[in-house]
Each structure stands twice: as structure tokens, then as C-alpha cells.
Amino acid sequence: MSSLSSLAEQKADQASQYSAFGGFSVRQAKQDIEDLLGRIGQLGFFDQYTKHDVSHINAMLEKLDWLIPDDTKERLTSADWLLIVLSAYFHDLGMLVTKEEYERRQESGFEKFRADVLLTDDADGRDYEARLAVLGDEDRERFLYQEFVRENHALRVKNWILGDDSPAAGICTAVMSEVQRILQPLDPVFRDDLAQVCESHHLEDLYDTSIYPVQQYYGSDPQESANVQYAAVLLRTIDLLHITRDRAPSIAFRVLNPSDPISQVEWAKQMAVRAVKPVWGLDNEGNRNETAPRDTIGIHAKFTDGDGFFGLTSYLRYAADQLRKSHDWIQRSNIANGLNYQFPWKYIDKSRIEAKGFLTQPFQFSLDQTKVLDLLTGHTLYNDSNVVLRELMQNSIDAVRLQHDNKSRSNGKVFVKWDSSSRTLEVRDNGTGMTQAIIENNLLKAGSSRYQDAEFRKKYPTFNPISRFGIGVLSTFMVADEVEIVTCHPDETEARQMSLRSVHGEYLVRTLNKTEIDKHLFPHGTSVRLKIRPSADVGDVLKIAQKWIVLPECEVAVEADSGKPIRVGYDSVGSALRAAISHFGADFRERLEKSKIRIVEKELDGLSIAYAVRWNEYFNEWVFLPFPGPVREADTLAGTCVGGIRVEGYPPGFRRAYGVWALANAWGPHAPRTNVARSAIDSTPEFARVVEQIYSAYCDHIREEVEELQSVRSHSLTWATGEAAIISGIFSDRDSVPISSPSLRQSLGKLPLFLLEQGGTRRHASADDLLQFEALRMTESTVMEHIEYLLRELPGGSRASVMKVLDGTDDQREESEPVICTRLGRDKHVDEFFLSAWQIAEMKANKSARRCDIRWIKRGDRSLWSSVDLQSAGLERLGSDQDRYGISRSQLVHIPIDSITVNGFTNREIGVRVGSELYLIPGHPWASMVDTMKEAPDWQGPEDERIVALSWMISAVMPSLRDFSRILPPLGDTLEELRIRTRRFEISHLFDFDAFAAATASSELEFFDTRRWQRWGGQVWG
């Protein structure tokens, strides 16, 4: 049978004399809990952790001998001692994992914890996952479940004591039943309090005496009552302070120092802490005296490695903060309830921590507070004084949203008043108001946002604030030297007023009777009133508010110079966009009223987006309304909002004032974050997701239009598919710069931009759809081009059906591979999609039929042609070259670098035009130059700078690339001019120019092009 070695256990054992605890044996409970704790680590969970067995319990309870002052020991009841001892016994039992529990882990909250806490879709989650890459699958799974249990072990114990078999923290019915058996003799209310105290050592709510009552009765005898808060504080303290060499603490890893895990490992390895003892108090003369009051705990340790030293000191900063909080909580409860439970400990003395081989004095960064505050309130952070109003308004909106929740739209109010004669600006709200603690810990502490505090986030897990950095009030000093704040909070008996005169000053808080304050601030609310400096330019307050505040989710009104208050903000992105377009000009307003312009609004996961489309009466379709370019009011006409506040003024998804006229708002827990000045959205996975959603919404419209053109407006498949390319053309405009080209390309890759025909059946396909085929056929032919024009006007027709009518004009063979009917060379972005994935493998020319048949195969890892991308070869400089007519020579000729099958070309023809691209066919004397390049040991394949430079040179001498109607200079003059340019662009070393010139002069420079047989403006090609 286990011994009761500590004073606390001996005192607790006396509780069995009272009816509330009759029949309960502390000694038997210790024996039972010792058996259970001994199983921790048996299945490989926490086997490498520090001890959580009965030795840990004994060491913790022994510290109570000096932690509890003698006067308070006499005051503690049997119920107090029993609650303290049993909480020490049970508090770490949650680390016990059974085999059955692990096998049923998928039925618990494990998967959600893994996704939402550990392997999150952000930088922290990705870093964490990378650290796990060294583990095998089974070890990784076991480790992740161990983290789940560790995070929830206090809650698990609480649930087991309460008999709650909820699967959220793991399914461990067998252990729960055993705990229930051990505690069965105890009063149910006592068991409830024990459960709460056991959980409390991982919580931050010990201040709340409604959860931890200071005078809880379990029976009528005074010895059957307990101070639950005091027991919880003692449990937290003895757990925090058990850091001697036999054990490191059971505290969540992230609390210690997540940026320096090596420190934690080394600390645990070295086991350097010898003792944790109280430091003698000081008498009136400043001398140490054993009988003087004590408030400091000393740590005795010696390190030979710096990492372990850093790990311990990092932890002790946290422990010291907890000590101070615990002291304050007990003091507050004593005053409020007329009690005298003493918890004197406020400080940790680290002077006895040695680091051998290091200087005894630790060093750290220090901040020049004056200069830092100057930086924060100057133009280093904010480069526009107008943001002062935005910061104050968004603080008010957050407070309103928090106070009124889903009734914010009807009950929440934010009021802005500007008086230019007195130069006073006031922002008032009926939000939560501020307590004294919030004023001290958040308002006056730069960088400490109340909404990011762990305690707040636990209490309001679904609240997503606009404000995030905790520096908004500092912005007021950009424009004002006098700031008055009045705030009223329901939890405070009095309101509070602060008058701030300088960012560097000290401030007094004045208490006010709540009857003295503005009625709009009662029973809760805050007013911030600024006296604007004469040198500061506030600007048009109404326009500033309208610029930033788009979807406030509450009533926001602005009054300027005693005028009529004007409502600011809208209920939806659609109504906001409609108002912006209507205000832009009478023509737009009239077209909106006549439904010639329509607003399309979509609600996605965490994103609301509205975009404008205009009706094209000739083509019977809704096309995107282009943003009107770089206009002065651009930042109020479109943009992307986060939490209803505009951050960027460009059309959503674009980096310039071009593109689709639209407005978007990201909201909820996965909304992207902004930079400190809220001038831009941070480039994070959350923002990447929003951008993808924006592009997806635009492309959904294009797909819907294609479907309606066929099903509702009776157009042919050919017509509808062709319009998909036209409507999407706004994204390829040279002025429309997307935020993410890969994301836009991914969305466009799903659009029906291409026409396919096989076996007489015609259908549209996306670039992604085409990839299901191994090869595609295509015909460059004037006949086929005219057939496509005809099919555009014939719903339900196909090439095969038309060819039957035109029997004899072409062969009727059945193609075994799909035929792509979309003609290249019409839409740049369509060409780019196709050519990036497909390459020509076969070409067959028929000059008499003015036709070229082409077979395409997927690019894969084998390229048959040289690259035509100057940048990929490091030759961007060649893109600036122009001919004598000012036409760029950046379009290059494709040169074959692998086997290509060609038939039907004459001796004069050296290549073929497909769409707008030129392809050189094998057999030209230039081919020997290519062979020489490929034989070089440093050959880099299609992006080799030599082959790309050769492609550029061929393009420079090809007349067919330009206008055939122009009189061209003699070839010799062209070559000599090219020789000079190769030297200027520093590429002459890449090839033998004389060999190139000889090859150029050896044959005609003619390309097969079906458009040679078409007349353009009276001119004949060729």
C-alpha cells in the first residue's frame, strides 16, 4: 500500500471522517492512481517524455510544505486538502493511451485536430509537417496522436471524472470507468470541482470565481467546504515548478519557445536543475531573514551548454508570468470576498542559474521605446494620414460586431463627426467598451491586440476581427496631440476617461459615473475624440470613410460640420458595386437602369464577389464590363476587401486598374491577412486561395454563358465555343496583369475554349479535357475555315455532315483520332493553352488543295522543337530588337530538334505556318548547324541558348514573317545588318555566322501558308 509521505496527503486523509467524503480512502486512491500512471508510455506514447508517475506527484506535494504559508495551512479545511491532493494525483492521467483508444482514433476529434491545429494550411503548418518528414508513416501517425492527447490531456481527465465519454478528446471508456470507480464515494459536487481543477492547469481562466468558487460547500460542516480557486492556483504552481532534474514540466510545447525547439531538447537532456526553493525574505534593513515575508522562488541550476540554458530561461519567463497572475487572482478574490488565503509568490530568481564557459551576465535585445513609438506613429508605418480615420472606424466596427454578434446590422452603430472649425474628429460606437484590464493590457500596449490573446480566442472562437496588430490607437498621433477616450463596459461599475497628450507621455485614467457620460455610450461603448493639429490634413472625412468602409455589418454614419449624417457602407458586395458604377457616370447609371449592365453576385466559401457584365445585343451574350482604366476614383470603384474593409483598390484578381469591374470581400477564419498598414494583402496560402476563388467565379460566368448561348439563345455549339474565347479575352489583354498567372491559367484551363469532332460528333473541350487524348488531328485549309463559318450558323451541324453535301471536294476518311476544329492564330490565350501542351509530330502539305494536315502529340518530357521563349534561354535582350519598320522580331521560328514526319512540301518550301506560328521542316542547310549544336557535350535541349539564338536569326531574315507587300532589301544587305546586330546583342559567339549566311543564301525562304491564296485589301500574298 502506498505511503502518505507529505503533509498535504496526511491532512487530506482526514477528510474521510466527514459524511461528504465518508468511505473514501486517500491511501487506496493513491495506490490505484499509481497503477494507472505506471502504464503511461507502455504503448509507445510519451515513452520519451519526462516522468508523470507517482514520483512526480510526491515531488509536487512536497513543495506545498513551503508554498503554502503557515497561517493559510491552518485555515485550509479537510476539503481543501483533499481537493488539492486529488487534483495532483489525477491531473496528468490524461496522458494514458490504451490500445483500443488508438485503434479507434478516427472516431474521435483527432482528424479535426490534425487538420485545424497541427497540419494547417499556413506557414506554421507547413513547417511542422516538414519536421515530421523524417518519420515513417506509422511513427508519424503515432506521434500526431500523441500530440492530440498531450494537447487534450487535461480535458480528458475532466471528462473521465465527470463520466463524460465524449469522443472529442479520444475514446477511452476503460480508463473512464476506472476513474469513476475510484472516486465513486465522493460527493458529486466535489467531483465536479475536482474535474474543473484538474483541467485548469492548462487553462487561463483561474480568475473566474464563477467557475472556481472561493467558498464551495459539500456538506454542512465547515471542514466540508473548499476554496476551489486556491486549489487550482496551487495545482498550477506545483506543476510549473517541478522542473528539477528528475522531470521537465508537462506544459504545451508552444508555450515554451516554439522558435527554438533545440533549447527544449537540450534542457531535458541535461537535467541541470538541482533544486527549486524559496528565497529568504528581507528585513527592514534589506538583509535576508528567514522569518521575513517571502515572495520569490529561486532556481538552482548549472549548464554546460547554451541551448539548455536558453530553454530553461525561456520557460521561466512563462512561469514567472503565471506566478504573478496567480498572486493577483488570489489577492483580488480575498479583497472581494473578505478572505485571507495567502499566495505570496510573485517572482522567480534566476541568479543561481549558472552556465559554465559563458559570461554570467545574460544579454538580450533592448528597445528604445521613444524611437520605436516614433517609427510606429510616423510615416515609416503609415504613409497616408487618412488611415487614422480608417483605423478608428475598424476598431469601432470590431467592438460592435463582438458586442451585438448576429444583431450587429440592426443594433450596432458607429458614428463619425468632424467639425472643421474646432478641428475635432470623433468616432463613437456602441460596442463592447473597455475594462481597466483591456486599457492596460491592450490599448496602451503597442502590438498587443486583445483579439489575438489566447484567452479571448478561446472565449470567442468564431469571432474574426478586422484589427489584428494592436497599434491602431497609435495612428491617432499622426494627426493629433490631444486624444480623449471615454469608454463604458458593463462589467465595470464606472466608466473611464483618458486624455492622451503625447505618445511618449504618461496617462491618468479618470473614473466617471455612468450617468455623466454620453447616453450613446451606455450601457457599453467607446468614444475617441481627436484635436487635429493645424499642420495635419485630414481630407474629406466622408470620402475617406466611403473609400475604406464597404461592408461594415452595422450602421455607420458620418456627419461633417453639423450637416446631415450620411450612411456609409452597404449590405452586400453587389449593392456596393452597383452604387460605384452608378456614381461613375450618367451613361453607366442609365444602362444599369435599363438592365444593359447587370451585377452578378456569388457567395463562395469565405468569399463574396460581385462583378459587372454588359449585354452585347449583336451577339446575344453578357460579357464582362471592363474596368475603366486608371481613373482618379479607382480606389472607390472596385477592389478587394478583408472583413468588409477595402484593402486594395484594383479589380479583384488584378494588379493594375484594368480587368473586370468587380468587388470582392474575404471573410471568416480563413480570410487572408493584410500588412500592418493595411495597404496590401499578405501573400499567404489564404490569399492564394481567395485569388483562385475569384478566377473561378469569373470562369463560372463564361461557362454559364456558353451553356445559355446553346440551350436558351439557340446558337450553335460552334458559335458558343467561339464566344468562350472572346469573353475570356479580357484576361489576356496586355494591360490586365493578374495577381497569379498560374492560378488564372488553372481556372481558364477548365473553360470550353476548343472544338473537337470525331465520328461525326462535335463537342467542346477545355485545355484540361484535351489532355485525355494521346494525339489530335488538325487541318489548315481555306475550305475547312469556310466550313467552320458555315457551322457557326448551323446548330447541330458537323464537318462530316457538310462534307457529305460537298461530296468530292475532300476525302471522307474516318479519323481514328479526334480532330481539333478550333483555328489557331485568332486568340492569343487560346494558342498559348494549346501550344504549351501540344507539339507537331507530323505535317502533310497539299498545295493543289491549298491544305496542310497536322498531327499533334502531347509534349511530355520529350520536345521535338526548339523553344521560342527568349527568357527561358536567358536571351531576353533580343526581345527589344526591331526591323527597319519598327516591328518587333521577338516572334521566333520553331526549329525541329528531333524526328518529324513531313510529306508533300516542294523544294522551295522550307516550313509551314500553323496559326500564327512558323515551323521549319527538316532538310534545310540550317539543319547541319542544329546537328552540330546537339553533338556538343553542354547541349541543353530546346532551351539551349544556341538553338534559340539561331531561331531568332532565322526569324530576322524571313520576309514571310512581315508584310509581303513591302519591297524588301537585298538578302546580302539584310545579312550584313544582322551580323552587326548579333555583335551588339553579344550573341555572335554562339554560332558560325558565315555558315548561317551561306545556308540562308542556298535556298528560297518560302513557307507554306494557306492564307497566301486569300486577297487582303487588293494585295495578293506571295
Side-chain angles (χ1 to χ4, degrees):
M1 183 69 70
S2 296
S3 64
L4 304 181
S5 57
S6 67
L7 173 66
E9 289 172 301
Q10 294 164 15
K11 292 281 189 180
D13 195 39
Q14 298 174 13
S16 61
Q17 303 172 20
Y18 301 95
S19 58
F21 318 112
F24 184 79
S25 169
V26 173
R27 192 179 302 272
Q28 183 61 52
K30 186 173 185 180
Q31 178 65 55
D32 293 338
I33 202 70
E34 183 175 355
D35 292 341
L36 290 174
L37 291 173
R39 301 179 194 175
I40 296 177
Q42 288 184 0
L43 293 177
F45 293 100
F46 306 105
D47 55 335
Q48 297 180 1
Y49 272 56
T50 50
K51 297 178 182 179
H52 292 90
D53 59 12
V54 73
S55 66
H56 167 41
I57 293 173
N58 291 335
M60 290 172 63
L61 293 176
E62 288 170 4
K63 285 183 172 55
L64 293 174
D65 290 348
W66 55 266
L67 272 173
I68 305 175
D70 291 340
D71 290 348
T72 303
K73 286 178 186 173
E74 296 299 323
R75 191 169 288 105
L76 293 179
T77 67
S78 293
D80 282 323
W81 287 111
L82 184 63
L83 187 59
I84 294 166
V85 168
L86 291 185
S87 66
Y89 283 178
F90 282 92
H91 78 286
D92 274 340
L93 183 60
M95 294 207 177
L96 175 58
V97 181
T98 67
K99 181 179 180 181
E100 178 191 13
E101 173 186 353
Y102 183 63
E103 291 173 349
R104 298 179 63 186
R105 62 189 180 278
Q106 305 302 336
E107 302 174 38
S108 70
F110 170 54
E111 286 298 325
K112 187 176 189 305
F113 176 81
R114 172 158 56 182
D116 296 349
V117 178
L118 297 180
L119 306 182
T120 51
D121 187 21
D122 56 17
D124 291 339
R126 290 191 294 275
D127 289 344
Y128 190 87
E129 188 166 16
R131 290 198 293 270
L132 298 180
V134 297
L135 300 177
D137 290 344
E138 177 58 30
D139 289 341
R140 181 175 181 271
E141 184 75 359
R142 189 177 294 274
F143 176 81
L144 290 173
Y145 194 75
Q146 179 175 278
E147 292 294 277
F148 166 68
V149 171
R150 184 164 65 93
E151 180 70 15
N152 290 284
H153 82 273
L155 175 60
R156 287 157 63 88
V157 175
K158 176 184 178 181
N159 289 345
W160 296 343
I161 294 174
L162 296 177
D164 180 359
D165 200 16
S166 168
I171 301 172
C172 202
T173 307
V175 179
M176 183 194 74
S177 299
E178 187 67 10
V179 171
Q180 289 284 293
R181 182 191 63 78
I182 297 171
L183 299 176
Q184 190 276 330
L186 295 172
D187 177 82
V189 177
F190 182 88
R191 292 202 301 267
D192 291 347
D193 287 339
L194 175 61
Q196 196 64 53
V197 171
C198 284
E199 186 190 24
S200 71
H201 76 289
H202 265 214
L203 301 178
E204 294 287 337
D205 60 355
L206 274 67
Y207 62 88
D208 192 341
T209 55
S210 66
I211 301 175
Y212 309 96
V214 296
Q215 200 164 19
Q216 181 75 293
Y217 286 94
Y218 310 112
S220 58
D221 193 287
Q223 291 295 316
E224 294 176 309
S225 67
N227 185 332
V228 181
Q229 183 190 44
Y230 193 72
V233 163
L234 288 178
L235 175 64
R236 167 165 296 195
T237 305
I238 57 179
D239 191 52
L240 284 170
L241 296 180
H242 190 196
I243 51 176
T244 46
R245 64 182 66 190
D246 59 326
R247 182 189 174 274
S250 61
I251 191 68
F253 175 74
R254 65 174 179 270
V255 172
L256 299 177
N257 192 352
S259 63
D260 189 13
I262 295 176
S263 299
Q264 314 312 321
V265 174
E266 291 303 318
W267 168 26
K269 282 181 182 177
Q270 292 189 56
M271 299 184 297
V273 180
R274 303 188 303 276
V276 177
K277 296 292 182 181
V279 176
W280 283 9
L282 302 178
D283 58 22
N284 293 333
E285 297 178 358
N287 299 316
R288 291 188 174 185
N289 189 309
E290 190 173 0
T291 62
R294 301 182 179 186
D295 60 6
T296 304
I297 297 171
I299 310 298
H300 300 257
K302 187 170 186 177
F303 288 92
T304 58
D305 184 278
D307 285 331
F309 172 83
F310 299 142
L312 176 62
T313 54
S314 169
Y315 172 74
L316 291 179
R317 282 195 296 272
Y318 168 77
D321 177 66
Q322 293 299 303
L323 275 186
R324 185 66 193 220
K325 284 182 178 179
S326 296
H327 173 271
D328 292 346
W329 290 333
I330 297 301
Q331 286 292 94
R332 217 174 293 169
S333 293
N334 284 338
I335 294 171
N337 297 281
L339 302 174
N340 192 22
Y341 287 79
Q342 294 304 314
F343 185 85
W345 311 105
K346 296 187 287 185
Y347 309 109
I348 288 182
D349 180 6
K350 296 183 289 185
S351 64
R352 295 167 179 79
I353 301 175
E354 305 173 60
K356 187 177 180 180
F358 297 86
L359 295 178
T360 56
Q361 178 187 1
F363 299 92
Q364 63 183 23
F365 282 106
S366 61
L367 299 178
D368 186 323
Q369 178 174 313
T370 300
K371 291 183 179 179
V372 169
L373 290 176
D374 284 339
L375 286 172
L376 290 174
T377 58
H379 286 268
T380 302
L381 176 61
Y382 297 116
N383 56 15
D384 182 357
S385 60
N386 293 339
V387 302
V388 174
L389 179 58
R390 182 201 66 201
E391 291 290 327
L392 294 178
M393 293 181 74
Q394 68 189 28
N395 285 349
S396 287
I397 292 170
D398 270 339
V400 165
R401 288 173 173 172
L402 180 61
Q403 177 65 40
H404 300 283
D405 197 18
N406 56 7
K407 294 184 178 180
S408 293
R409 292 184 186 275
S410 57
N411 297 345
K413 299 183 186 300
V414 175
F415 178 71
V416 179
K417 184 176 181 180
W418 165 244
D419 187 334
S420 60
S421 59
S422 63
R423 295 188 64 76
T424 57
L425 175 67
E426 180 184 4
V427 179
R428 184 185 71 219
D429 65 72
N430 67 342
T432 58
M434 291 181 285
T435 63
Q436 182 63 33
I438 295 173
I439 291 173
E440 293 178 22
N441 297 327
N442 304 118
L443 179 70
L444 297 180
K445 189 176 289 186
S448 175
S449 170
R450 178 192 179 197
Y451 303 119
Q452 303 305 316
D453 182 76
E455 189 175 305
F456 177 90
R457 291 169 70 85
K458 183 170 184 178
K459 188 174 181 181
Y460 302 99
T462 61
F463 183 71
N464 298 292
I466 306 166
S467 305
R468 186 166 63 92
F469 299 101
I471 57 175
V473 72
L474 288 177
S475 67
T476 60
F477 292 101
M478 294 174 61
V479 296
D481 288 326
E482 296 182 30
V483 181
E484 181 183 270
I485 301 173
V486 179
T487 187
C488 179
H489 194 284
D491 291 351
E492 303 272 351
T493 57
E494 297 176 299
R496 278 159 170 71
Q497 179 189 49
M498 293 185 64
S499 295
L500 316 180
R501 292 292 181 269
S502 166
V503 72
H504 302 301
E506 294 183 345
Y507 317 120
L508 295 177
V509 176
R510 179 187 176 194
T511 57
L512 302 173
N513 190 301
K514 290 186 177 182
T515 60
E516 300 177 36
I517 64 174
D518 188 318
K519 63 180 182 179
H520 297 98
L521 301 180
F522 182 82
H524 43 74
T526 299
S527 169
V528 180
R529 190 170 181 271
L530 314 182
K531 178 73 173 179
I532 306 300
R533 288 194 298 267
S535 60
D537 180 16
V538 174
D540 189 321
V541 172
L542 177 60
K543 286 187 176 180
I544 294 170
Q546 291 171 332
K547 171 182 177 179
W548 299 113
I549 310 303
V550 181
L551 302 168
E553 296 184 25
C554 64
E555 180 182 326
V556 177
V558 177
E559 176 187 309
D561 290 328
S562 300
K564 181 180 178 181
I566 298 176
R567 186 82 177 260
V568 172
Y570 301 89
D571 294 331
S572 68
V573 286
S575 59
L577 182 62
R578 174 176 287 275
I581 294 173
S582 179
H583 293 157
F584 186 67
D587 177 52
F588 287 94
R589 184 164 54 251
E590 181 181 354
R591 284 195 279 169
L592 276 168
E593 292 170 355
K594 292 182 177 181
S595 297
K596 298 297 184 182
I597 293 178
R598 182 161 61 94
I599 306 299
V600 180
E601 191 167 359
K602 293 182 181 292
E603 291 290 332
L604 306 174
D605 182 19
L607 178 74
S608 302
I609 184 170
Y611 53 83
V613 292
R614 59 182 176 86
W615 180 248
N616 186 317
E617 59 183 318
Y618 295 104
F619 291 89
N620 293 324
E621 64 192 16
W622 289 100
V623 298
F624 291 113
L625 183 66
F627 191 73
V631 295
R632 194 177 226 181
E633 303 88 350
D635 55 8
T636 62
L637 296 174
T640 302
C641 307
V642 176
I645 309 299
R646 194 191 317 266
V647 179
E648 296 184 345
Y650 299 146
F654 297 91
R655 292 197 183 279
R656 299 175 61 185
Y658 294 92
V660 178
W661 203 338
L663 180 68
N665 178 47
W667 47 272
H670 301 298
R673 297 181 174 186
T674 69
N675 60 14
V676 179
R678 290 189 70 87
S679 60
I681 302 175
D682 285 346
S683 181
T684 62
E686 289 80 10
F687 186 40
R689 176 176 172 269
V690 165
V691 172
E692 289 172 3
Q693 289 176 303
I694 290 170
Y695 295 147
S696 178
Y698 293 152
C699 290
D700 282 345
H701 170 73
I702 299 172
R703 273 189 294 272
E704 291 163 6
E705 279 300 292
V706 170
E707 291 173 5
E708 289 215 0
L709 280 168
Q710 288 182 260
S711 61
V712 178
R713 301 170 201 155
S714 303
H715 286 294
S716 68
L717 174 67
T718 305
W719 180 304
T721 306
E723 291 309 298
I726 299 299
I727 299 173
S728 61
I730 193 169
F731 301 111
S732 62
D733 187 283
R734 66 175 183 175
D735 292 322
S736 300
V737 181
I739 289 175
S740 172
S741 295
S743 293
L744 177 59
R745 182 181 180 84
Q746 184 178 20
S747 293
L748 292 175
K750 295 178 174 61
L751 290 181
L753 299 174
F754 300 93
L755 271 171
L756 286 181
E757 186 172 318
Q758 188 174 21
T761 301
R762 200 171 180 87
R763 66 184 180 92
H764 59 55
S766 67
D768 291 351
D769 293 335
L770 295 181
L771 296 177
Q772 66 181 291
F773 304 108
E774 292 302 317
L776 297 170
R777 298 280 180 175
M778 179 184 291
T779 297
E780 287 272 311
S781 161
T782 303
V783 172
M784 290 303 175
E785 186 173 357
H786 286 295
I787 288 176
E788 288 300 321
Y789 276 116
L790 180 61
L791 291 173
R792 186 171 178 270
E793 305 296 334
L794 296 175
S798 67
R799 282 188 179 184
S801 62
V802 174
M803 293 306 297
K804 288 179 181 179
V805 177
L806 304 176
D807 185 33
T809 61
D810 207 333
D811 56 64
Q812 301 295 306
R813 69 179 183 274
E814 179 71 22
E815 294 286 3
S816 60
E817 295 165 333
V819 175
I820 183 164
C821 304
T822 301
R823 175 135 192 184
L824 300 180
R826 296 185 183 278
D827 301 287
K828 181 181 177 183
H829 63 295
V830 174
D831 287 4
E832 288 177 351
F833 265 114
F834 187 76
L835 297 176
S836 64
W838 297 88
Q839 59 184 340
I840 295 176
E842 300 176 20
M843 294 185 287
K844 181 180 179 181
N846 187 333
K847 194 166 187 177
S848 62
R850 299 176 297 283
R851 164 177 175 157
C852 184
D853 292 309
I854 302 157
R855 183 173 183 265
W856 300 84
I857 63 171
K858 285 188 283 194
R859 283 188 174 273
D861 297 329
R862 177 190 172 201
S863 294
L864 306 180
W865 301 88
S866 66
S867 170
V868 291
D869 182 2
L870 291 171
Q871 185 172 2
S872 67
L875 298 173
E876 301 96 324
R877 58 190 182 278
L878 300 182
S880 63
D881 188 38
Q882 296 180 343
D883 65 10
R884 64 179 61 192
Y885 302 107
I887 299 174
S888 173
R889 291 192 175 94
S890 60
Q891 185 186 20
L892 308 189
V893 174
H894 299 260
I895 302 174
I897 59 173
D898 208 327
S899 177
I900 308 293
T901 302
V902 294
N903 288 292
F905 293 95
T906 67
N907 292 332
R908 294 185 59 187
E909 294 159 346
I910 64 170
V912 61
R913 180 191 289 270
V914 180
S916 59
E917 302 292 310
L918 288 175
Y919 293 84
L920 195 69
I921 63 175
H924 191 275
W926 283 320
S928 60
M929 299 182 67
V930 175
D931 292 339
T932 302
M933 295 175 185
K934 290 170 61 178
E935 290 170 0
D938 58 346
W939 168 249
Q940 299 295 316
E943 283 85 24
D944 191 285
E945 61 178 348
R946 290 163 292 197
I947 190 76
V948 176
L950 176 62
S951 175
W952 174 80
M953 293 180 61
I954 294 172
S955 300
V957 299
M958 289 304 305
S960 56
L961 278 174
R962 300 186 294 278
D963 190 339
F964 290 101
S965 65
R966 285 200 176 105
I967 299 176
L968 300 174
L971 180 59
D973 293 350
T974 300
L975 288 170
E976 189 57 33
E977 180 186 343
L978 180 60
R979 186 194 296 271
I980 295 171
R981 294 207 309 276
T982 60
R983 292 170 180 166
R984 186 172 75 244
F985 286 116
E986 299 179 352
I987 61 171
S988 57
H989 65 287
L990 296 177
F991 41 77
D992 184 340
F993 188 87
D994 291 333
F996 170 79
T1000 303
S1002 66
S1003 64
E1004 297 287 342
L1005 301 178
E1006 182 177 318
F1007 273 65
F1008 183 90
D1009 189 345
T1010 60
R1011 280 168 289 188
R1012 285 181 176 273
W1013 288 275
Q1014 298 179 31
R1015 297 181 183 274
W1016 296 81
Q1019 296 290 337
V1020 180
W1021 286 47

